[in-house]
């Protein structure tokens, strides 16, 4: 029995990308950045021996604070970088208790002297400001600039303290703390608002608590009604309170005042003829009543007129289409509203173009004599071509109905 | 050949064709040619002695035509190709000899008015109710009854006016209620024994012709219709109405409508529907109808 053996070559194991030395170093340095040291030194003049307090960064050490190296023999001194001694007349740089040749006291990256004597030390090496930032300083997630000093670490990124703000109201969050809400950093207040909206509720603009019952809208904000009292009678308000624009035509709402429903109704605000509620905005006056613009509508289709022409009939208003449909000014042939002259006959109406014989479709006018069959017009020529038997019946029927019409109805 | 001999002087030599050309036929051709020249979309071809569409060559290719009036001719067959005239809005075939219609007619996409009155129709083709925009259908004076309507006849929701006078209906299908836009219903001189209560659902009806039938009672639902207004017409003469209805009609339509809605009538109607009044005999002799000619 053959035994199958896995003879495929072994798959080499590859370290995770995060294991790479470079990345590791980078991630370590990021964490150490806040504790890395920042120095200013002064030298070039001569050897100075002074311990700079590493904890107080940045610190500027004035020139005259440097002490001359007097009690040390030049022969014992070696450069911290190259390990060589110093020439008798050679300038010695002293920083943080260590000595350097002037040409050795340079940026570990660009090998240039430190501009303005400022350098950054990290991992035992010294860097000029530019190279230090490029190599180690974090970038702000908002403005993209390097961050020196206080770094805010939040939302998986770094920020300048005044770049890290609430995404809704732009309030600085560095000292107040923040709440992560759907991938956004929000201040406590905005987070409450978002939460309330999610529940279909509002946050009171005054006490910042959620409004569980009906909110009261006032000057463009929402409130608990109980924060206010009626302007007239002083009673505590409920959600039925009315906001009244005090000066008509005054566009801003900061003159608005609140009234309880009772006082409001006594103020003579027009009442809508349809919904019986007061009209605070545009008033339509028609049919002897006042209406909300959106409540003045066709009695048939209930679509508001919004300023379009309406037709009145028996105390009701209709749109053009339904007025004609209901009160009969649609042409029997084209079924369109008749503009201009109307032919009215046989319980129907026709526009001038379509008043014609129903059999031969030839146009007729006021003078044309026509016969009637089921309230359809037939010109004389056509009528005479009807089957004789049919004509006889029609004639008999006509005579009968005529006789009936002339018979007095008993009362 | 005899025809060409009888009028040789009228026919110019260069238009002689194998079809015999009488004077009426050339008139029809002339109308079509004139219309084609000036691009007139309306054709008046009534009373031209036409007996077949073949006498109107090229007509079925005039796609711009919106109206054809062919009344007072002797047309027997309507070709299915008529449905090619997709712009047709009005088709008037009144007073012809049509016995059958093509199935394709109901596919005319813009046809609004169809007049087939005074023909010899014994039935309607399958799917006749498929007209998409038909508004007025005139079938007056044919040989139709409730069994000759196709299943989808009452699906023509756009219908405003339906003329079925002078036919042979004994009953009207309750599906009539589907014609929601119906304003005119003419059923004069049929053999109607009763009306369906569903007529009461035709809320826009303002003309109802039921003269000369065999009706005795009316369903109370008719009271829902606005037949008493001065914009409505209700024609009811020549029926064998039961005495209470006859009395109300004497007083006027308004009285009848109020009566139909009353509790008194409801009781009476229930009694009549279990114990039907005697069905009167047909009072009209239809054997002389021209539509009966075979």
């Amino acid at each position: 029995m053959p035994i199958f053996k896995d003879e495929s070559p072994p798959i080499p194991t590859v370290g995770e990308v995060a294991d790479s030395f470079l990345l590791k170093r980078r991630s370590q340095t990021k964490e150490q950045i806040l504790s890395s040291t920042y120095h200013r030194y002064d030298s070039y003049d001569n050897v100075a021996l002074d311990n700079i307090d590493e904890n107080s960064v940045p610190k500027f050490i004035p020139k005259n604070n440097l002490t001359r190296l007097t009690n040390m023999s030049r022969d014992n001194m070696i450069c911290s970088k190259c390990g060589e001694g110093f020439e008798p007349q050679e300038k010695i740089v002293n920083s943080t208790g260590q000595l350097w040749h002037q040409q050795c006291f340079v940026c570990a990256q660009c090998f240039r002297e430190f501009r303005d004597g400022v350098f950054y030390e990290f991992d035992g090496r010294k860097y000029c400001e530019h190279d230090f930032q490029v190599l180690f300083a974090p970038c702000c997630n908002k403005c993209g600039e390097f961050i020196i000093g206080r770094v805010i670490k939040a939302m998986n990124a770094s920020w300048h303290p005044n770049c890290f703000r609430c995404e809704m109201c732009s309030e600085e969050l560095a000292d107040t703390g923040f709440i992560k809400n759907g991938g956004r950093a929000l201040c406590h207040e905005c987070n409450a608002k978002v939460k309330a909206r999610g529940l279909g509720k509002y946050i009171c603009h005054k006490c910042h608590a959620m409004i569980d019952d009906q909110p009261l809208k006032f000057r463009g904000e929402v409130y608990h009604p109980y924060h206010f009292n009626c302007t007239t009678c002083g009673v505590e308000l409920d959600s039925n309170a009315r906001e009244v624009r005090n000066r008509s035509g005054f566009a801003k709402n900061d003159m608005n005042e609140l009234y309880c429903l009772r006082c409001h109704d006594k103020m003579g605000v027009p009442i809508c003829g349809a919904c019986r509620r007061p009209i605070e905005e545009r008033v339509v006056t028609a049919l002897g009543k006042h209406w909300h613009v959106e409540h003045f509508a066709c009695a048939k289709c209930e679509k508001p007129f919004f300023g379009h022409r309406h037709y009145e009939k028996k105390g009701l208003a209709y749109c053009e289409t339904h007025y004609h449909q209901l009160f009969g000014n649609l042409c029997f042939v084209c079924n369109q509203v008749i503009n201009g002259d109307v032919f009215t006959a046989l319980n129907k109406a026709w526009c001038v173009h379509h008043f014609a014989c129903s059999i031969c479709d030839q146009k007729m006018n006021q003078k044309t004599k026509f016969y009637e069959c089921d309230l359809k017009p037939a010109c004389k020529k056509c009528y005479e071509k009807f089957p004789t038997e049919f004509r006889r019946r029609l004639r008999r029927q006509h005579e009968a109905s005529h006789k009936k019409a002339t018979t007095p109805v008993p009362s | 050949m005899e025809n060409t001999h009888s009028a040789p002087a009228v026919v110019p030599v260069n238009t002689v064709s194998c079809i015999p050309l009488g004077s009426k036929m050339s008139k029809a051709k002339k109308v079509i040619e004139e219309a084609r020249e000036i691009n007139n979309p309306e054709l008046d071809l009534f009373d031209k002695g036409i007996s077949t569409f073949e006498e109107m060559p090229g007509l079925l290719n005039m796609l711009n035509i919106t109206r054809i009036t062919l009344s007072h001719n002797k047309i027997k067959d309507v070709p299915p190709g008529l449905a090619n005239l997709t712009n047709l809005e009005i088709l008037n075939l009144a007073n012809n000899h049509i016995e059958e219609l093509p199935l394709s007619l109901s596919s005319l996409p813009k046809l609004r008015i169809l007049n087939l009155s005074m023909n010899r129709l014994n039935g309607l083709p399958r799917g006749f109710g498929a007209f998409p925009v038909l508004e007025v259908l005139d079938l007056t004076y044919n040989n139709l009854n409730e069994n000759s309507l196709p299943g989808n006849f009452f699906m023509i929701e756009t219908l405003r006016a339906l003329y079925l006078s002078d036919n042979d209906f004994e009953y009207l299908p309750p599906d009539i209620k589907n014609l929601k836009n119906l304003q005119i219903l003419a059923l004069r001189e049929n053999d109607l024994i009763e009306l369906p209560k569903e007529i009461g659902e035709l809320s826009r009806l303002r003309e109802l012709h039921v003269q000369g039938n065999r009706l005795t009672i009316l369903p109370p639902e008719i009271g829902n219709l606005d037949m008493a207004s001065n914009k409505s017409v209700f024609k009811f003469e020549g029926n064998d109405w039961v005495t209470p209805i006859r009395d109300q009609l004497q007083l006027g339509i308004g009285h009848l409508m109020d009566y139909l809605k009353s509790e008194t009538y409801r009781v009476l109607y229930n009694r009549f529907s279990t114990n039907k009044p005697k069905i009167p005999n047909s009072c009209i002799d239809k054997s002389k109808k021209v539509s009966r000619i075979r």
Side-chain angles (χ1 to χ4, degrees), chain B residues 222-242:
Chain B
I222 298 277
N224 300 338
L225 298 173
D226 186 24
M227 279 296 143
S229 96
N230 61 343
K231 276 284 163 194
S232 299
V233 175
F234 179 43
K235 298 218 175 193
F236 50 83
E237 296 86 359
N239 283 287
D240 209 355
W241 300 114
V242 294

Side-chain angles (χ1 to χ4, degrees), chain B residues 25-180:
Chain B
M25 288 174 206
S26 59
K27 258 196 237 166
K29 250 182 147 175
K30 220 172 115 190
V31 171
I32 291 171
E33 256 150 47
E34 271 173 17
R36 196 181 282 138
E37 267 169 37
I38 59 165
N39 222 8
N40 183 1
E42 306 203 335
L43 284 181
D44 284 310
L45 291 162
F46 57 92
D47 198 18
K48 297 275 183 281
I50 301 163
S51 52
T52 159
F53 270 72
E54 280 156 29
E55 294 166 36
M56 301 173 283
L59 173 69
L60 301 184
N61 295 324
M62 294 169 74
L63 301 184
N64 63 327
I65 295 291
T66 59
R67 171 171 70 82
I68 306 179
T69 303
L70 282 161
S71 29
H72 309 304
N73 284 298
K74 296 186 178 71
I75 295 168
K76 254 189 140 154
D77 289 307
V78 179
L82 194 64
N84 293 342
L85 303 176
T86 48
N87 285 305
L88 206 56
E89 291 182 36
I90 299 176
L91 177 59
N92 195 335
L93 290 160
N95 200 12
N96 277 282
H97 299 169
I98 301 167
E99 285 174 17
E100 228 180 314
L101 290 166
L103 217 125
S104 64
L105 201 63
S106 56
S107 70
L108 280 166
K110 292 183 184 171
L111 195 69
R112 294 190 299 108
I113 299 179
L114 176 59
N115 194 338
L116 290 160
S117 62
M118 295 180 281
N119 276 288
R120 298 170 187 180
L121 291 168
N122 295 307
L124 296 171
R126 197 157 41 87
F128 189 75
F131 288 103
V133 295
L134 195 65
E135 295 175 14
V136 179
L137 176 58
D138 196 337
L139 292 163
T140 307
Y141 207 95
N142 279 285
N143 306 318
L144 300 169
N145 61 44
E146 56 275 19
N147 301 318
S148 49
L149 300 179
N152 70 346
F153 184 80
F154 293 104
M155 307 284 261
I156 318 173
E157 264 197 52
T158 48
L159 215 56
R160 288 189 278 126
L162 177 59
Y163 295 95
L164 293 170
S165 299
D166 277 304
N167 278 288
D168 307 321
F169 286 89
E170 288 194 345
Y171 295 92
L172 189 66
D175 283 348
I176 186 81
K177 68 172 187 286
N178 298 338
L179 301 177
K180 291 189 177 64

Side-chain angles (χ1 to χ4, degrees), chain A residues 318-332:
Chain A
Y318 298 89
C319 67
E320 189 171 29
T321 311
H322 287 114
Y323 177 79
H324 288 294
Q325 197 177 80
L326 290 166
F327 306 109
N329 279 329
L330 288 178
C331 171
F332 178 66

Side-chain angles (χ1 to χ4, degrees), chain A residues 348 359 374 376 389 393, chain B residues 69 71 138 141 166 188 207:
Chain A
K348 295 175 186 63
I359 307 294
D374 290 337
K376 289 172 293 179
E389 170 269 339
R393 271 190 290 135
Chain B
T69 303
S71 29
D138 196 337
Y141 207 95
D166 277 304
R188 175 186 48 80
E207 256 186 52

